[in-house]
């Protein structure tokens, strides 16, 4: 499945929720289900410090594709990480680098990627792309 | 604006009519605005003052002979007079317009700072926000002075014995917050000022959080400086005030150079203007100053004893209701505090709680409140802060409580 197709799938999943709180219940669930980052990567150099919440990101290239694992101390941040990883995992570095992640806008979660939120997510996306570029 | 009569008592429903934003909706829900510590909402009279100025009165001040310039200068200076009366400053020229509290403190740190020598001591407290920490660190670095910090208890009260022991003949300035933005603690600044004066030190009161909740009389406090922001007292953003004692301000060199702050300029020598202009270089935030004056005229119509009693009732009610939720942990339980409640939900990140409350239309602040050392003191990343203004209601507290219960269920 391409990045675009995965994004469309997520948009469809969210379409059934008419209420914000339902939407967030689903995000919280995703956050709880997010496979945890290997403890050995939960170190200072993998840490992306936000003002509000923090994110740990580990990226590597496996064969031709990028593999990401991440974690956060906030569950909503984790839920959004789960979505980002689902979209960008197993994709080529070139595709990761040019992904516009427009689905976040469509499902109404772009506010979490606004720099004013300072939750580490903006920097995380930047870092995912940087890692992809370095591995291209 | 017409002079308004002082109202007797306090009627929150009437007051809410003055604030149009309180009747807006967010995410199709009624806005519950509990982030007044970050900024307060504006009454219609302030919005009208801004509107009218740009529609009918706009001209630069202090320099034109034409009608509008004279008129706008008059409005601006009248606003200064209003603020002087409100804080009971000796003279209107001791009320300096700045960009806000941060700018006011930086002005003192720079200009008064020029009088600070190597080895001199500056005292701040453990509950300061960054604006009342960083300018002093920068000053100490520049001058080789020493920064000392008054410790606080876990309840969020300053250790006044430690403060007394810190004061000595090397203490040049004490700069302490009147009311803590993160904890709501009201510090006994009047006594602290007297103690500082006893060793010949000057005292700056950071009033960023206090003017919204209480009246301030700078002569009664006997402070050397009092700093506050317009936007936290129902005025516009981008304008604030530094009050200073006349002799102290006169002894200080100017802060920034430019127009308005000069008397004569030649390439060989410039002489400086008198107070307040000496510290007000360049075209100021004219409309901001005028509308801030309007905000204080509006505040002058309140019976503040009744306002404070109402806010106390609101604080007590909210605290009692929050205490009924077993997962809530409080930060800042000083005996003397204003309607600011910092708390955490056990086991939950404040970002999650805040994000979900937001979707219920409830605006609270989450994070470190620009007071990282306070969060470090409690070893927490931040808190959730509900800060109430006089226009908040018990019904809004109830909505917060119901919302919190729902959020806690969702997160656990």
């Amino acid at each position: 499945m391409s990045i675009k197709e995965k994004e469309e799938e997520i948009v469809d999943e969210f379409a059934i929720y008419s209420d914000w709180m339902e939407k967030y219940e689903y995000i919280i669930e995703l956050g709880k289900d997010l496979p945890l980052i290997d403890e050995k990567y939960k170190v200072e150099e993998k840490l992306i410090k936000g003002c509000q919440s923090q994110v740990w990101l580990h990226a590597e290239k496996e064969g031709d594709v990028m593999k990401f694992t991440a974690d956060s101390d906030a569950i909503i941040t984790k839920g959004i990480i789960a979505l980002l990883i689902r979209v960008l995992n197993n994709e080529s570095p070139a595709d990761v680098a040019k992904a516009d992640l427009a689905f976040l806008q469509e499902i109404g979660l772009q506010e979490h990627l606004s720099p004013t939120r300072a939750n580490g997510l903006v920097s995380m996306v930047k870092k995912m792309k940087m890692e992809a570029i370095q591995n291209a | 604006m017409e002079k308004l009569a002082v109202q007797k008592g306090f009627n929150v429903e009437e007051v809410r009519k003055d604030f149009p934003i309180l009747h807006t909706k967010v995410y199709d829900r009624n806005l519950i605005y509990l982030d007044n510590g970050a900024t307060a909402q504006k009454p219609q009279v302030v919005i009208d003052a801004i509107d009218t100025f740009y529609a009918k009165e706009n001209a630069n001040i202090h320099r034109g002979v034409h009608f509008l310039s004279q008129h706008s200068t008059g409005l601006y200076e009248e606003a200064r007079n209003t603020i002087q009366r409100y804080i009971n400053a000796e003279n209107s020229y001791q009320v300096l317009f700045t960009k806000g509290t941060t700018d006011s403190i930086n002005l003192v740190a720079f200009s008064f700072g020029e009088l600070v020598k190597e080895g001199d001591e500056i005292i701040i407290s453990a509950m300061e926000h960054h604006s009342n920490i960083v300018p002093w660190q920068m000053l100490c670095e520049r001058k080789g002075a020493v920064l000392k910090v008054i410790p606080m208890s876990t309840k969020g009260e300053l250790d006044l014995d430690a403060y007394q022991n810190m004061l000595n003949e090397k203490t040049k300035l004490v700069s302490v917050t009147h009311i803590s933005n993160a904890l709501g603690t009201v510090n006994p600044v009047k006594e602290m000022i007297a103690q500082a004066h006893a060793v010949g030190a000057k005292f700056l009161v950071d009033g960023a959080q206090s003017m919204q909740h209480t009246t301030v009389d700078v002569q009664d406090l006997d402070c050397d400086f009092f700093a506050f922001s317009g936007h936290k007292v129902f005025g516009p953003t981008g304008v604030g005030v530094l009050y200073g004692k006349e002799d102290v301000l006169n002894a200080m060199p100017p802060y920034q150079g430019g127009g308005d702050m000069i008397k004569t300029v030649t390439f060989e020598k410039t002489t400086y203007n008198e107070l307040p202009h000496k510290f007000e270089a360049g075209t100021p935030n004219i409309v901001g100053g005028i509308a801030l004056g309007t905000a204080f005229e509006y505040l002058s119509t309140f019976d503040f004893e009744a306002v404070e009693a109402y806010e106390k009732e609101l604080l007590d009610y909210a605290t009692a209701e929050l205490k009924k939720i077993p997962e809530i942990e409080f930060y800042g339980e000083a005996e003397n505090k204003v309607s600011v409640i910092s708390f955490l939900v056990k086991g939950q990140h404040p970002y999650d709680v805040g994000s979900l409350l937001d979707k219920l239309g409830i605006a609270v602040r989450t994070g470190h409140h620009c007071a990282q050392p306070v969060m470090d003191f409690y070893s927490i990343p931040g808190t959730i802060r509900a800060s109430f203004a006089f226009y908040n209601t018990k019904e809004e507290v109830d909505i917060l409580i119901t919302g919190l219960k729902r959020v806690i269920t969702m997160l656990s």
Side-chain angles (χ1 to χ4, degrees):
Chain A
M1 221 188 287
S2 72
I3 288 182
K4 217 59 253 146
E5 284 163 344
K6 283 190 271 187
E7 289 194 12
E8 277 163 19
E9 193 181 70
I10 292 170
V11 171
D12 284 345
E13 280 170 27
F14 273 83
I16 60 164
Y17 304 118
S18 52
D19 177 70
W20 273 110
M21 295 313 263
E22 289 175 6
K23 211 181 266 190
Y24 272 83
E25 260 168 30
Y26 182 51
I27 296 163
I28 290 165
E29 221 175 284
L30 292 174
K32 285 179 180 163
D33 292 345
L34 176 71
L36 285 179
I37 191 169
D38 195 319
E39 275 305 312
K40 71 174 184 225
Y41 296 130
K42 250 178 124 170
V43 290
E44 190 68 27
E45 63 258 37
K46 302 279 180 192
L47 180 66
I48 301 163
K49 271 197 178 150
C51 203
Q52 301 261 6
S53 62
Q54 322 200 71
V55 172
W56 290 266
L57 173 75
H58 174 67
E60 57 188 314
K61 196 177 171 192
E62 215 179 275
D64 295 331
V65 298
M66 294 302 298
K67 294 275 186 187
F68 297 103
T69 50
D71 196 3
S72 172
D73 50 354
I75 193 80
I76 292 173
T77 309
K78 256 173 104 165
I80 295 162
I81 289 173
L83 292 172
L84 289 168
I85 288 184
R86 181 165 143 200
V87 169
L88 297 178
N89 233 14
N90 298 315
E91 299 294 339
S92 72
D95 286 343
V96 171
K98 63 172 195 258
D100 65 0
L101 305 171
F103 77 105
L104 287 168
Q105 176 89 30
E106 276 183 68
I107 59 177
L109 293 179
Q110 75 286 353
E111 65 191 43
H112 291 280
L113 259 84
S114 121
T116 58
R117 277 290 176 119
N119 52 13
L121 279 173
V122 178
S123 313
M124 181 181 118
V125 171
K126 242 183 241 165
K127 197 157 175 227
M128 286 170 115
K129 295 191 165 210
M130 284 300 295
E131 293 274 358
I133 289 164
Q134 281 160 14
N135 281 290
Chain B
M1 160 186 174
E2 286 172 57
K3 275 265 176 279
L4 301 165
V6 176
Q7 314 157 27
K8 264 273 165 262
F10 182 78
N11 181 339
V12 68
E13 288 311 323
E14 284 303 312
V15 170
R16 287 179 72 81
K17 291 181 191 159
D18 298 337
F19 292 82
I21 209 168
L22 299 179
H23 310 286
T24 55
K25 286 189 184 289
V26 292
Y27 313 113
D28 285 329
R29 289 166 189 271
N30 292 330
L31 168 69
I32 311 293
Y33 187 76
L34 304 179
D35 195 17
N36 296 286
T39 197
Q41 299 302 350
K42 319 305 170 199
Q44 190 64 49
V45 285
V46 168
I47 300 167
D48 288 346
I50 295 168
D51 212 44
T52 306
F53 180 78
Y54 280 131
K56 296 178 177 163
E57 298 163 337
N58 178 50
N60 209 335
I61 56 167
H62 298 152
R63 53 203 83 192
V65 292
H66 59 81
F67 176 83
L68 275 185
S69 176
Q70 304 247 12
H71 182 60
S72 63
T73 301
L75 290 170
Y76 192 70
E77 292 307 322
E78 189 43 43
R80 200 192 300 274
N81 294 338
T82 302
I83 298 165
Q84 175 215 344
R85 284 192 297 273
Y86 194 86
I87 63 172
N88 194 29
E90 297 88 336
N91 302 289
S92 69
Y93 54 75
Q94 289 169 258
V95 173
L96 312 180
F97 280 118
T98 64
K99 288 186 286 184
T101 306
T102 300
D103 191 36
S104 297
I105 294 175
N106 275 281
L107 189 163
V108 177
F110 182 84
S111 289
F112 181 81
E114 283 302 290
L115 313 173
V116 170
K117 296 181 192 64
E118 195 177 339
D120 283 346
E121 295 176 1
I122 308 286
I123 297 178
I124 59 172
S125 90
M127 63 175 80
E128 301 309 320
H129 61 153
H130 300 157
S131 314
N132 200 23
I133 301 173
V134 184
W136 307 117
Q137 287 175 327
M138 290 163 71
L139 166 65
C140 287
E141 245 171 65
R142 223 164 43 235
K143 294 286 176 180
V146 182
L147 190 67
K148 296 200 157 179
V149 183
I150 310 164
M152 68 169 178
S153 70
T154 47
K155 276 174 87 178
E157 289 171 336
L158 292 182
D159 182 342
L160 297 175
D161 291 333
Y163 169 58
Q164 180 62 61
N165 290 334
M166 260 175 208
L167 288 165
N168 65 67
E169 69 287 351
K170 283 187 280 184
T171 312
K172 201 80 183 169
L173 182 91
V174 181
S175 187
V176 168
T177 189
H178 193 181
I179 293 177
S180 157
N181 72 321
L183 306 171
T185 311
V186 182
N187 287 316
V189 285
K190 192 176 171 182
E191 292 75 18
M192 294 175 76
I193 290 163
Q195 286 170 281
H197 286 167
V199 296
K202 305 294 181 210
F203 201 106
L204 184 152
V205 178
D206 177 343
Q209 294 292 330
S210 51
M211 303 290 282
Q212 193 188 98
H213 299 290
T214 187
T215 49
V216 166
D217 180 331
V218 290
Q219 291 190 66
D220 177 57
L221 287 176
D222 198 26
C223 54
D224 300 282
F225 302 104
F226 192 96
F228 65 90
S229 298
H231 71 98
K232 287 189 164 93
V233 283
F234 316 100
T237 53
V239 69
V241 163
L242 175 69
Y243 157 84
K245 277 193 181 159
E246 185 172 4
D247 58 331
V248 182
L249 289 175
N250 276 329
M252 287 157 52
Y255 177 37
Q256 292 173 328
D260 231 18
M261 55 77 73
I262 47 85
K263 199 174 270 167
T264 58
V265 177
T266 65
F267 285 113
E268 288 71 38
K269 172 86 185 155
T270 290
T271 57
Y272 303 125
N273 207 336
E274 287 162 0
L275 294 174
H277 312 294
K278 174 177 149 188
F279 290 106
E280 294 181 349
T283 296
N285 182 350
I286 303 168
V287 68
I290 292 169
L292 181 56
T294 307
F296 277 108
E297 281 175 30
Y298 174 73
L299 280 177
S300 307
T301 66
F302 284 88
D303 167 0
F304 241 82
E305 257 176 55
V307 169
E308 285 181 43
Y310 176 76
E311 284 195 19
K312 174 86 172 62
E313 202 181 307
L314 207 56
L315 171 69
D316 289 346
Y317 179 69
T319 308
E321 290 302 304
L322 282 167
K323 276 199 172 136
K324 290 182 190 162
I325 306 177
E327 292 89 348
I328 302 281
E329 291 168 342
F330 292 89
Y331 293 89
E333 295 184 274
E335 294 300 325
N336 190 5
K337 65 176 282 190
V338 293
S339 50
V340 170
I341 307 179
S342 250
F343 62 94
L344 280 176
V345 177
K346 226 173 274 174
Q348 304 303 344
H349 198 284
Y351 182 77
D352 294 328
V353 180
S355 297
L356 293 174
L357 286 176
D358 169 56
K359 288 294 182 275
L360 294 170
I362 304 166
V364 292
R365 172 95 184 257
T366 64
H368 56 55
H369 317 300
C370 297
Q372 281 176 16
V374 176
M375 302 302 129
D376 291 346
F377 173 80
Y378 290 109
S379 303
I380 51 174
T383 69
I384 303 151
R385 182 187 67 184
S387 51
F388 302 87
F390 55 45
Y391 45 58
N392 289 122
T393 64
K394 285 189 180 174
E395 289 72 37
E396 290 180 310
V397 173
D398 291 340
I399 294 169
L400 169 69
I401 299 293
T402 312
L404 266 172
K405 285 180 182 162
R406 184 167 173 192
V407 166
I408 291 168
T409 312
M410 276 176 77
L411 286 170
S412 42

